[in-house]
Amino acid sequence: MSEQIIPHAWPPGNSEMGVAIRHIDWSLTALGPVDAWPASLRTAVSAALDSSWPTIILWGPELIQIYNDAYREILSLRHPAAMGQRTQECWPEVWHFNEPIYRRILSTGECVHFEDQPYVIEPSGYSETRYFTLDYSPARDESGAICGIRVTAMETTRKVLAEREIKTLLNAAQSSVDQLQQIFDEAPSFMALLKGPEHIFEIVNAAYRLLLPDCAVIGKTVAEVVPETECQDFLKQLDAVYATGKPYNATHIPAYLKKSPGAPATRIYLNIAYQPIKDAEGRVFSIFVLGNDVTAQCLAQIELARLNQELTDEVQQVVLAREAARIANERWELAIESSGGGVWDWDIRSDKVLYSARMAEILGYAEDEFDSTLEAWKSRLHPDDRERVLEALQNCLAAIIPSFHAEYRIRNKNGNYIWVASHGIVVERDTDYRAVRATGMMSDITQHKHTEQEQWNQANSDTLTGLPNRRLFRNRLDHAVKTAARSNSILALLFIDLDRFKEANDLLGHDVGDMLLIEAATRISVCVRQTDTVARLGGDEFTVILTNVDVTEHIEHIAQKIIDAIAQPFYLGNEVVYLSASIGITLYSEYANSSEELIKNADQAMYAAKNAGRNRFSYFTRIMQEAAEQRLRLGGDLRHALARNQIEVFYQPVVDLKNGQIVKAEALARWHHPILGMIEPTVFIPIAEETGQIKSIGDWVFKHAADCSKRWGQQLGCVFQIAVNKSPAQFLSHADATAWARHLHGIGLTGSSIVIEITEGLLLHTSPVVAAKLSVFRDCGMQLALDDFGTGYSSMSYLQKFDIDYLKIDQSFVAGITGNEADRAIAESIIVMAHRLGLQVIAEGIETPEQQALLIAAGCDYGQGFLFSQAVPADDFGRILMENMIPA
């Protein structure tokens, strides 16, 4: 954003002054009647109204604001009553920046231009940055004197964000292309990408160009570049791969290629592979070609075979074997040097090794500074690979295996380990068939190993957290079960679920949810040993495999460490998130003898921990198996409960503690199961939330409560208020938030007849969607009550941010106020705090007169509990209400 002085003047409007002024729909009482305005002000107003752009006039030395309808839309975002006010009073946040500009324009008459100026605005209670292009110019009266400043604005937010996105995409695309090209060009194998059924060269690496004629090949077909391959079945194999989608691999295939159109064809030998590349629908659209020129190796093998056929007696065998070995060695060295590898030659009698310049280069040395002793080579081997490599070398020397081959890590000059592939043969033996001389090659395969590791990680690691995924977890669990069975050791499986993660993820967005999962994975990992396995199965589900455990106390210690770690606040940018963990634990082979049973049992134990209040661990028992089966049956039965009239609404009185009269009620759902009898909400409501049935049940309970409120209100001659619980799952659904308000209006009730009861978890990480739905309830007159206050992460911020009417003290504090000083202090503090904030307090679970007396002494407003009445059916509540309620 840069300031520019531009050479243009602000043109006056072209409409008649009287017509412009008559279109003014605001009041500027401080400036007097329109007819009394100075001519300069009328000119400014007319010009502002004539402009089609958002325009504002800062009039007079006090910079009074006058603007047209287009600018009103921008100002109404934050300053709906800015008309006729001084600029420094309406916009103090930008006054410091703009004041020098205003003064300069008033004194010099210059015009100033700003491109893409950012402003932080708050359209609906949350902040966002938007960008505007602004023009500042002097406003002049009829005599030409400067009477104010004219500002026109054009929003450029979409342009700015689009330019940023395009730049990011271009940078990412270029980086990917460069990286791909580098990998291709540095690969020792020849590679190409052939597009379409015509097999058009799309990408070719440097190694492949050595095989092809010296000409441009990109964009040409294989038949055009190397027409001699058409009669050698190469094109037929390419056609077959493209048509069937099946890969093709071949080794030691002879091929005849011409380096130029007029040159004779040269025979070479290739190891080649064709890999089809398919689209999302499984159709082949390209073929990836990978191969190596193995001509030198094949010729050496052919030559050795030919010589061996000519051996007629023992003397000839010895002579010709030595000669063949010499020829093979020369060809071996030639093949190695042409392949880009390094050559080594070992004189076994003197124990000296000669290395080629390329081999020294692979290890980062100059040829003259490379130690050529065998011991120096051994000292560079990785400790984990040394025994294996030396054993393979000894087996080759002893003729137990025909050749030496090993892939291992070796330390280079910088002290880093690189991966190499080493091949060798014994090229000379004495009359006792003892190895005298060996030679071979070594090539750098570090990049290949890295690629293999990346492919393994992609197949076995969770892409978000880097932990083992479900596949690797299952492999390790199967292995751990077999080990535990052989060694008769203790194996424990922990199943971890993050409590209320879905609420935080839905409310704060998936980006914050991903950050939560990454941090949770880190916290869990630091709580276990390196030999244990932490895995993410998906979503917010994690597992831990504990092997070789001595005592169960160790298992419980780790489980508690994980619970404590997850309970710490998550600081994610501007958000602070609070979670907890529920952990299920099962042991092998207490109740399980297989991986499947361990997983199932740990999952059931985790649900038992959740049902017990979350933020804890639970061991698997047979009773849990029965509970899980019953839970599954209840979920199926609940789907038909409403249609079969099995759901009933009970009502519990809310009493004014000052006079003991019933003033409100809370609606509570009950389920009359045809076999199991009465089922409490604590049992079936979580099932309804998990299965998505909570919306239909919640709407039915609300309508029942509304009908009762209307009936009892008519009997009493006043509004009778009923509280209805609304779970976070209902807020997060896509249901129309205005449906409840429309229903109340349709039956002739005002919003004040209903109180919406919500939990702290809903407000702790609230989103614009939840805030908007709460606003709908407030706008129609419904009040809000915060249930179970004090049991969660109580925060003053959401009490101030949202218009809460009632705090409900959880019954756990009420139960302890007569014998526990801490519980009494908490209850009294909640009451004092609520009253200071203008809220009323309802105490739940009052069961004794002593509890009631202490709450009255503390100033509590309302109470409910078995001391007054338990929850009862609607007809019974109506009788209690008529007997005990004094109408207003």
Side-chain angles (χ1 to χ4, degrees):
M1 287 68 70
S2 60
E3 175 188 340
Q4 302 174 7
I5 305 301
I6 54 177
H8 73 272
W10 171 53
N14 54 14
S15 300
E16 292 185 10
M17 185 64 63
V19 175
I21 293 175
R22 283 197 300 274
H23 280 82
I24 299 174
D25 58 356
W26 56 77
S27 174
L28 298 176
T29 58
L31 301 179
V34 173
D35 295 338
W37 289 357
S40 57
L41 176 57
R42 292 197 299 272
T43 301
V45 171
S46 176
L49 290 171
D50 287 345
S51 176
S52 60
W53 295 106
T55 305
I56 183 171
I57 301 298
L58 309 180
W59 181 79
E62 297 298 321
L63 299 180
I64 303 300
Q65 295 193 359
I66 307 167
Y67 44 78
N68 63 3
D69 288 341
Y71 209 94
R72 179 197 300 274
E73 296 181 5
I74 297 177
L75 290 184
S76 64
L77 296 172
R78 191 170 182 181
H79 300 283
M83 179 63 71
Q85 302 296 317
R86 298 174 64 194
T87 303
Q88 55 268 46
E89 296 172 353
C90 295
W91 298 88
E93 61 270 29
V94 297
W95 174 254
H96 178 73
F97 171 77
N98 283 340
E99 182 184 11
I101 299 173
Y102 296 154
R103 299 308 179 197
R104 190 174 71 196
I105 293 174
L106 291 174
S107 62
T108 65
E110 293 178 349
C111 297
V112 180
H113 176 75
F114 285 95
E115 286 284 345
D116 302 332
Q117 178 70 21
Y119 282 96
V120 178
I121 60 176
E122 300 179 358
S124 299
Y126 63 94
S127 298
E128 66 175 357
T129 301
R130 293 167 63 176
Y131 296 84
F132 297 88
T133 292
L134 305 172
D135 283 290
Y136 298 77
S137 57
R140 301 180 184 272
D141 59 17
E142 296 175 349
S143 65
I146 297 175
C147 61
I149 299 171
R150 177 178 184 257
V151 184
T152 59
M154 179 175 68
E155 184 170 359
T156 60
T157 303
R158 290 187 177 179
K159 183 197 78 171
V160 172
L161 297 181
E163 289 174 349
R164 290 180 182 175
E165 182 69 17
I166 291 171
K167 184 176 180 181
T168 300
L169 292 174
L170 289 176
N171 289 340
Q174 185 60 46
S175 174
S176 299
V177 171
D178 293 344
Q179 185 179 17
L180 179 62
Q181 190 62 51
Q182 181 181 3
I183 293 173
F184 263 56
D185 286 338
E186 292 179 358
S189 301
F190 65 81
M191 293 185 288
L193 190 64
L194 305 178
K195 181 180 179 181
E198 300 85 4
H199 315 309
I200 300 171
F201 283 102
E202 192 171 26
I203 302 177
V204 176
N205 73 338
Y208 205 159
R209 291 183 181 277
L210 296 176
L211 298 177
L212 301 176
D214 188 15
C215 62
V217 299
I218 301 301
K220 296 183 180 179
T221 65
V222 173
E224 291 174 328
V225 176
V226 279
E228 59 270 19
T229 61
E230 194 163 1
C231 61
Q232 299 178 47
D233 292 336
F234 287 92
L235 289 180
K236 291 181 180 179
Q237 293 296 343
L238 286 171
D239 291 339
V241 171
Y242 195 90
T244 64
K246 297 180 179 179
Y248 169 77
N249 295 276
T251 59
H252 299 169
I253 300 299
Y256 295 85
L257 298 177
K258 297 179 180 180
K259 294 302 293 182
S260 61
T266 302
R267 184 176 68 176
I268 63 174
Y269 292 86
L270 303 175
N271 290 347
I272 196 165
Y274 299 148
Q275 179 64 41
I277 301 176
K278 304 177 182 179
D279 59 20
E281 298 179 0
R283 295 191 296 263
V284 178
F285 65 91
S286 293
I287 297 176
F288 179 72
V289 179
L290 174 67
N292 290 283
D293 184 353
V294 293
T295 303
Q297 294 93 319
C298 289
L299 291 179
Q301 293 174 2
I302 293 172
E303 186 67 15
L304 283 173
R306 185 185 65 80
L307 292 173
N308 286 332
Q309 290 295 326
E310 296 178 357
L311 296 178
T312 57
D313 53 47
E314 187 174 348
V315 175
Q316 285 180 321
Q317 287 177 359
V318 173
V319 174
L320 292 178
R322 290 180 176 177
E323 182 63 16
R326 182 189 63 79
I327 295 173
N329 183 51
E330 292 176 353
R331 294 187 181 279
W332 179 266
E333 293 181 1
L334 176 62
I336 293 172
E337 292 293 349
S338 64
S339 68
V343 179
W344 54 267
D345 189 269
W346 180 21
D347 186 339
I348 301 173
R349 288 171 176 168
S350 64
D351 205 25
K352 294 291 184 181
V353 185
L354 298 178
Y355 299 104
S356 68
R358 173 56 183 155
M359 185 162 175
E361 179 185 349
I362 289 174
L363 296 177
Y365 293 91
E367 187 175 6
D368 57 353
E369 65 178 355
F370 192 64
D371 191 343
S372 61
T373 64
L374 182 65
E375 288 302 319
W377 171 74
K378 291 181 180 180
S379 68
R380 294 188 184 96
L381 294 176
H382 194 284
D384 294 342
D385 301 335
R386 181 178 291 115
E387 182 179 354
R388 171 177 56 83
V389 174
L390 294 180
E391 181 182 0
L393 180 60
Q394 188 58 42
N395 288 338
C396 177
L397 297 179
I400 297 175
I401 56 176
S403 62
F404 165 71
H405 172 76
E407 294 182 356
Y408 55 90
R409 289 159 289 182
I410 189 168
R411 189 176 65 252
N412 62 15
K413 183 178 180 180
N414 294 331
N416 300 320
Y417 284 100
I418 63 171
W419 277 96
V420 297
S422 189
H423 308 269
I425 59 173
V426 175
V427 296
E428 185 177 353
R429 296 181 181 272
D430 61 16
T431 55
D432 295 326
Y433 210 66
R434 289 180 299 217
V436 174
R437 182 167 168 247
T439 188
M441 65 155 291
M442 185 181 76
S443 57
D444 187 349
I445 61 170
T446 304
Q447 184 60 46
H448 173 69
K449 285 292 184 180
H450 288 170
T451 301
E452 284 185 346
Q453 184 63 40
E454 290 176 1
Q455 292 174 347
W456 187 91
N457 289 338
Q458 291 174 0
N460 296 279
S461 298
D462 176 50
T463 56
L464 178 64
T465 64
L467 295 176
N469 60 12
R470 184 182 294 272
R471 173 183 175 182
L472 182 56
F473 157 74
R474 184 55 186 271
N475 290 339
R476 291 188 178 178
L477 183 60
D478 291 342
H479 177 73
V481 168
K482 293 177 182 177
T483 302
R486 288 195 303 267
S487 61
N488 196 29
S489 58
I490 298 178
L491 166 66
L493 177 63
L494 278 61
F495 200 105
I496 306 166
D497 186 86
L498 302 182
D499 301 324
R500 297 189 176 94
F501 168 78
K502 185 178 186 302
E503 297 176 19
N505 190 54
D506 292 340
L507 294 171
L508 300 178
H510 295 299
D511 290 341
V512 174
D514 288 347
M515 294 168 64
L516 269 175
L517 292 173
I518 294 171
E519 176 63 20
T522 301
R523 296 186 184 185
I524 296 172
S525 298
V526 300
C527 294
V528 302
R529 304 165 299 180
Q530 290 185 347
T531 55
D532 300 324
T533 294
V534 178
R536 179 184 175 223
L537 302 189
D540 61 334
E541 294 180 342
F542 296 86
T543 58
V544 176
I545 303 173
L546 301 178
T547 57
N548 298 320
V549 182
D550 296 331
V551 292
T552 56
E553 286 79 3
H554 176 71
I555 301 172
E556 296 174 4
H557 174 68
I558 290 178
Q560 191 59 51
K561 281 178 62 178
I562 294 172
I563 290 172
D564 294 341
I566 297 299
Q568 297 301 312
F570 288 80
Y571 297 97
L572 308 172
N574 296 327
E575 301 290 345
V576 181
V577 182
Y578 296 90
L579 296 179
S580 60
S582 296
I583 302 179
I585 304 174
T586 189
L587 302 178
Y588 177 89
S589 58
E590 185 176 13
Y591 292 110
N593 295 307
S594 66
S595 298
E596 292 82 358
E597 291 179 336
L598 283 170
I599 295 171
K600 182 181 67 175
N601 293 352
D603 186 40
Q604 292 175 6
M606 180 272 294
Y607 274 108
K610 277 189 177 295
N611 294 335
R614 300 185 174 93
N615 197 35
R616 66 192 65 207
F617 63 83
S618 175
Y619 281 95
F620 172 79
T621 63
R622 287 299 181 193
I623 296 176
M624 292 180 187
Q625 176 72 25
E626 298 171 359
E629 294 173 355
Q630 183 182 25
R631 185 182 182 88
L632 183 62
R633 289 193 296 269
L634 286 177
D637 295 343
L638 186 59
R639 296 186 179 278
H640 310 289
L642 271 180
R644 295 172 180 174
N645 298 320
Q646 296 173 1
I647 303 295
E648 184 178 4
V649 182
F650 278 30
Y651 296 88
Q652 186 173 33
V654 177
V655 174
D656 187 336
L657 294 179
K658 297 182 183 66
N659 55 29
Q661 298 301 313
I662 299 174
V663 292
K664 307 173 188 296
E666 180 179 1
L668 300 166
R670 296 291 186 268
W671 180 15
H672 294 278
H673 193 279
I675 298 174
L676 302 176
M678 183 69 74
I679 298 178
E680 295 294 321
T682 54
V683 176
F684 74 85
I685 290 299
I687 298 176
E689 291 176 335
E690 293 172 9
T691 58
Q693 301 175 67
I694 189 64
K695 179 185 179 301
S696 57
I697 294 175
D699 289 344
W700 185 85
V701 170
F702 161 74
K703 291 178 181 178
H704 192 281
D707 292 341
C708 288
S709 174
K710 180 179 180 180
R711 182 170 72 251
W712 295 331
Q714 290 173 345
Q715 293 172 355
L716 296 170
C718 63
V719 173
F720 185 76
Q721 199 173 59
I722 297 179
V724 178
N725 291 277
K726 195 172 181 70
S727 77
Q730 291 173 270
F731 275 94
L732 297 176
S733 70
H734 299 290
D736 183 5
T738 63
W740 285 17
R742 292 199 306 271
H743 179 78
L744 292 178
H745 179 73
I747 64 174
L749 283 182
T750 63
S752 60
S753 60
I754 296 295
V755 175
I756 304 295
E757 286 201 8
I758 58 179
T759 60
E760 290 180 287
L762 180 69
L763 301 183
L764 189 60
H765 313 301
T766 190
S767 69
V769 174
V770 174
K773 290 185 177 181
L774 289 174
S775 296
V776 170
F777 295 137
R778 296 293 309 183
D779 291 344
C780 76
M782 297 186 197
Q783 291 184 305
L784 297 178
L786 196 56
D787 199 7
D788 301 333
F789 187 79
T791 60
Y793 300 98
S794 305
S795 171
M796 299 304 101
S797 61
Y798 58 66
L799 293 179
Q800 296 172 340
K801 183 177 181 180
F802 299 94
D803 294 329
I804 305 298
D805 299 286
Y806 302 99
L807 288 187
K808 301 192 73 174
I809 302 177
D810 187 70
Q811 58 185 354
S812 61
F813 298 116
V814 174
I817 62 174
T818 57
N820 188 307
E821 289 294 333
D823 286 347
R824 185 186 306 174
I826 291 174
E828 292 173 347
S829 299
I830 291 174
I831 294 169
V832 173
M833 176 206 66
H835 288 169
R836 292 288 295 273
L837 294 175
L839 282 66
Q840 294 182 301
V841 181
I842 303 172
E844 296 182 294
I846 302 175
E847 297 183 354
T848 67
E850 291 79 11
Q851 293 171 347
Q852 180 184 13
L854 287 174
L855 289 168
I856 292 174
C860 186
D861 302 292
Y862 304 101
Q864 63 183 105
F866 287 179
L867 178 63
F868 311 114
S869 173
Q870 61 181 349
V872 297
D875 292 342
D876 294 342
F877 182 87
R879 287 192 294 271
I880 294 173
L881 182 63
M882 293 302 105
E883 293 171 358
N884 296 278
M885 188 75 177
I886 299 177

